[in-house]
Amino acid sequence: MSQMGYSCLMAVDRERVLRDAAGLLMRKSGATMDEVARAAGISRATLNRQFAGRDALVRALEELGLAECESALERARVDDGPASDAVRRLVRALEPAAGLLAFLYSENQLFEGYGQNEGWARLDARMVALFRRGQEAGEFRIDLSPVWLSEALYGLLVSAAWAVYEGRVASKDFTSNIAELLLGGAVRRTE
Amino acid sequence: MSQMGYSCLMAVDRERVLRDAAGLLMRKSGATMDEVARAAGISRATLNRQFAGRDALVRALEELGLAECESALERARVDDGPASDAVRRLVRALEPAAGLLAFLYSENQLFEGYGQNEGWARLDARMVALFRRGQEAGEFRIDLSPVWLSEALYGLLVSAAWAVYEGRVASKDFTSNIAELLLGGAVRRTE
DNA sequence: TAGATTTGAGACATGAATGTCTCAAATGGG
DNA sequence: CCCATTTGAGACATTCATGTCTCAAATCTA
């Protein structure tokens, strides 16, 4: 029986393993548990000690991704000031989570039918609320629904993460690419 | 020994199987060969007679998707008239292929390292050329690279296909949602 | 109708990934 | 330095998708 001795590294280790796993799964969603373990620098046995099976790992990654998105929403203060600026701050805050999001985006297909995780629904609601606020303030056009705008934001985050990973776009342009396209579109403003 | 009797339905059958497979794999990318067969209304044995293994099926789907995209580029006459209108026509022409594209988009992760299929590179080049033409004609802003614009178009197609499938956005808004967001962005024009 | 071909259902072996277990080595705290 | 805990490497059984094969039924053709 362990004495429940919490050396201060236990939580950190778990977090690091999750991030390494995300880093691999983002670009190879079907990676083996063995590959995940190797990517995290631990053995498969230890990986299975920390996460009871692949499902548990994916669930943990889902929680991590959700937590990061909610943290990003907080840090971006999406309720303050013009909605356009809030979107810009949000995209910037979401950048570190984009890779993980890209993985979860493709993985969620498998979880369909599980009945949407309630956490994502709450997150969605906050994103939708941001775009709705922009519309009601007269900033955003009303012929694009808030739901579509938030879906589009997810899609752009995933494309951009993938494009950066493949070296097709520069990492430094990640935020501006997404925010400028989402807000301003491709057509030149003539005003 | 078969007499190579081509009843005129053979090609059609293969095409229909591919479309049914795409319809399933789009929303469940890890579906079993058995599930694919059932979705196509045939037995697993017959499925394996037409496509020698899962890889062959995915390759065939890739070819189909590529062919549909190239067909869409042709039908949209992307070299004619204003680039904005060309983009609108292109998005409309791509709509039927969006589901298949969504599947291939997530599947291509697995093929990384195979060295990009040359077909997709050619397709990409044509998309990029369209956006470059728009820039050179002064229609599109130059701070968003043509490469990013085409990547963003892929991402929006995937998001939109997924959102329509989940019932979050109306099917009839598919084309306008993508084209209007990609071209005009979320912010209201004040001109 | 008679013959040829294709299909479906199922059995079968194969390979891969998984989860569990054991034991020796490494790590860390007291 | 000693002891408790954790880790890594590997063996092992299990599960599952896959690909192949057979045979009877269905379909098509002449």
Side-chain angles (χ1 to χ4, degrees):
Chain A
M1 290 299 169
S2 143
Q3 299 273 352
M4 276 301 161
Y6 284 105
S7 89
C8 65
L9 293 179
M10 287 195 65
V12 173
D13 265 349
R14 186 184 153 97
E15 182 93 3
R16 196 185 53 76
V17 169
L18 276 178
R19 300 209 176 273
D20 290 342
L24 172 61
L25 290 170
M26 159 194 8
R27 58 181 197 276
K28 190 173 181 181
S29 59
T32 295
M33 290 297 276
D34 202 78
E35 295 174 292
V36 172
R38 201 160 15 234
I42 61 178
S43 71
R44 194 161 63 95
T46 302
L47 180 60
N48 257 322
R49 284 179 190 115
Q50 288 192 318
F51 303 98
R54 189 173 233 285
D55 284 6
L57 176 63
V58 174
R59 295 306 176 92
L61 284 169
E62 203 173 357
E63 273 185 51
L64 177 63
L66 193 54
E68 292 209 355
C69 287
E70 284 177 337
S71 156
L73 274 168
E74 300 299 335
R75 276 176 293 133
R77 307 185 319 279
V78 288
D79 294 327
D80 297 357
S84 301
D85 296 337
V87 168
R88 275 184 252 267
R89 291 194 304 268
L90 178 59
V91 172
R92 176 175 300 281
L94 281 173
E95 174 169 2
L100 181 51
L101 231 51
F103 164 66
L104 295 173
Y105 194 81
S106 67
E107 195 75 359
N108 268 357
Q109 303 174 1
L110 309 179
F111 284 92
E112 79 168 337
Y114 273 40
Q116 309 277 16
N117 183 316
E118 191 220 338
W120 293 108
R122 251 204 331 265
L123 186 76
D124 259 17
R126 295 182 66 180
M127 304 266 278
V128 170
L130 167 59
F131 289 109
R132 190 182 313 279
R133 179 169 80 84
Q135 280 186 345
E136 287 168 355
E139 280 184 84
F140 294 167
R141 48 202 288 191
I142 59 170
D143 57 335
L144 298 174
S145 74
V147 166
W148 162 239
L149 290 174
S150 78
E151 293 287 330
L153 174 53
Y154 287 132
L156 291 176
L157 283 166
V158 172
S159 316
W162 197 248
V164 166
Y165 169 72
E166 281 185 326
R168 296 170 66 84
V169 315
S171 163
K172 70 174 175 52
D173 296 330
F174 181 92
T175 299
S176 62
N177 271 347
I178 297 176
E180 290 308 308
L181 181 64
L182 181 66
L183 294 172
V187 171
R188 253 178 60 181
R189 303 275 169 160
T190 57
E191 44 181 328
Chain B
M1 288 298 170
S2 143
Q3 300 272 352
M4 277 302 161
Y6 285 104
S7 88
C8 65
L9 293 178
M10 287 195 65
V12 173
D13 265 349
R14 187 185 152 97
E15 182 94 2
R16 195 186 53 77
V17 169
L18 276 178
R19 299 208 176 273
D20 290 341
L24 172 62
L25 290 170
M26 158 194 7
R27 58 182 197 277
K28 189 172 182 181
S29 59
T32 294
M33 290 297 277
D34 202 78
E35 295 174 291
V36 173
R38 200 159 17 233
I42 62 179
S43 72
R44 195 161 63 95
T46 302
L47 181 59
N48 257 323
R49 285 180 189 114
Q50 288 193 319
F51 303 98
R54 188 174 235 283
D55 283 7
L57 176 64
V58 174
R59 296 306 176 94
L61 284 170
E62 203 174 358
E63 272 186 52
L64 177 62
L66 192 55
E68 292 210 355
C69 287
E70 283 178 336
S71 157
L73 274 168
E74 300 299 335
R75 277 176 293 131
R77 307 186 320 280
V78 289
D79 294 327
D80 295 358
S84 302
D85 295 338
V87 168
R88 274 184 253 268
R89 292 194 303 269
L90 178 59
V91 172
R92 175 175 302 280
L94 281 172
E95 175 170 1
L100 180 51
L101 232 49
F103 164 66
L104 295 173
Y105 194 81
S106 68
E107 195 75 0
N108 268 356
Q109 303 173 2
L110 309 180
F111 283 92
E112 78 166 340
Y114 273 40
Q116 308 279 16
N117 183 316
E118 190 220 338
W120 293 108
R122 250 203 332 262
L123 186 77
D124 259 16
R126 294 182 65 180
M127 304 266 279
V128 170
L130 167 59
F131 289 109
R132 189 182 313 277
R133 178 170 80 84
Q135 280 186 346
E136 287 169 354
E139 280 185 83
F140 294 167
R141 49 202 287 191
I142 59 170
D143 58 333
L144 297 175
S145 74
V147 167
W148 162 240
L149 290 174
S150 78
E151 293 287 330
L153 174 53
Y154 286 133
L156 291 175
L157 282 166
V158 172
S159 316
W162 197 248
V164 166
Y165 168 72
E166 281 185 327
R168 296 171 65 85
V169 315
S171 164
K172 69 175 174 54
D173 296 330
F174 181 93
T175 299
S176 62
N177 270 347
I178 296 176
E180 290 308 308
L181 181 63
L182 181 66
L183 293 172
V187 172
R188 252 178 61 184
R189 302 275 168 158
T190 56
E191 44 181 327

